Amino acid sequence: MTLRLGDIAPDFTAETTEGPIHFHEYLGDGWGVLFSHPADYTPVCTTELGAVAKLRDEFNKRNTKVIALSVDGLESHKDWIGDINETQNTMVNFPLIADEDFKVSNLYDMIHPNSSEKATVRSVFVIGPDKKIKLIFTYPASTGRNFDELLRVIDSLQLTAYHSVATPANWKHGEDVVVVPSIKTEDIPAKFPKGHKVIKPYLRTTPQPNID
Ligand code: BEZ
């Protein structure tokens, strides 16, 4: 199934290292990240899951739940978590889906047969509180993902959702943001009391609204 931005994230039930889950119920009314890795007991995946575990406070601050997936079984996941904790100096603190029957992988198009018929690629889906897909990205098996970039995009998505601003190229937390086109320039002062600049009628910037 090909999923696109704005589609409802398909719901499913699955076995995980933290017990059976009903995906939409698991997400509750917050944000979610569903990400796949090619296989347990592989080096890049080991570093990735460790990196995500270390970012737990950052995901919590963003009201975002994380869940990982591969087509390995539950016992394999559970044993491998011991290695991740040992080698990455952390404690895995999110569930891993055991998708042995490829049910979820197929729902989310995580198997790219010309890459591998037997393993998921490194897919990432960010899901909003409305259960709609807000971000999709795919990395090859040999490239570990940049989870700081994932947090940066979640920050941008939440700024748009809650503050009517977008983020410019290479934006970083604390830098000026862009007022969305749907807001009229004459309405900006009331909505953005920190000030604004009109660089062009369609390019209006303002300090990041959700920081002091
Ligand atoms: C890894 O996680 O290290 C990996 C997995 C599949 C292919 C290449 C690397």
Side-chain angles (χ1 to χ4, degrees):
M1 178 167 169
T2 303
L3 292 172
R4 295 180 176 169
L5 300 187
D7 290 351
I8 296 288
D11 199 9
F12 57 82
T13 53
E15 290 301 325
T16 83
T17 49
E18 297 185 8
I21 64 142
H22 193 295
F23 186 50
H24 284 191
E25 212 172 86
Y26 170 76
L27 295 178
D29 57 8
W31 294 69
V33 171
L34 169 65
F35 72 111
S36 57
H37 60 271
D40 296 354
Y41 296 105
T42 51
V44 176
C45 302
T46 301
T47 63
E48 282 196 324
L49 271 68
V52 171
K54 288 178 187 164
L55 291 174
R56 184 193 181 103
D57 289 349
E58 296 300 323
F59 287 111
N60 283 349
K61 270 191 229 164
R62 292 161 178 81
N63 190 24
T64 300
K65 285 191 177 166
V66 172
I67 188 161
L69 173 151
S70 79
V71 298
D72 299 287
L74 212 47
E75 287 316 308
S76 165
H77 279 348
K78 285 181 176 167
D79 289 345
W80 178 46
I81 282 173
D83 283 5
I84 299 170
N85 292 345
E86 178 195 327
T87 62
Q88 306 305 303
N89 196 23
T90 188
M91 294 289 281
V92 170
N93 44 33
F94 51 86
L96 274 64
I97 296 171
D99 192 38
E100 285 180 290
D101 60 2
F102 293 68
K103 183 176 80 177
V104 183
S105 315
N106 285 329
L107 263 183
Y108 280 81
D109 199 22
M110 291 164 163
I111 302 284
H112 295 201
N114 290 325
S115 173
S116 166
E117 290 192 350
K118 294 190 187 132
T120 43
V121 290
R122 298 191 195 279
S123 299
V124 180
F125 293 84
V126 173
I127 297 150
D130 56 3
K131 305 291 179 291
K132 289 185 179 166
I133 296 172
K134 309 294 184 188
L135 170 76
I136 301 172
F137 69 75
T138 307
Y139 273 36
S142 50
T143 306
R145 285 160 283 196
N146 183 332
F147 292 99
D148 291 333
E149 169 64 3
L150 176 60
L151 291 173
R152 193 188 75 93
V153 181
I154 293 171
D155 282 345
S156 173
L157 288 165
Q158 295 188 346
L159 278 165
T160 304
Y162 304 133
H163 299 282
S164 305
V165 293
T167 55
N170 299 327
W171 172 84
K172 289 193 228 51
H173 182 81
E175 294 179 352
D176 284 1
V177 295
V178 169
V179 178
V180 295
S182 58
I183 293 181
K184 291 186 186 142
T185 297
E186 59 266 33
D187 295 335
I188 291 178
K191 196 160 168 62
F192 300 100
K194 286 182 172 182
H196 71 282
K197 288 183 204 147
V198 180
I199 297 160
K200 289 281 179 189
Y202 58 85
L203 176 55
R204 296 91 39 93
T205 61
T206 187
Q208 184 178 334
N210 62 342
I211 54 171
D212 294 328

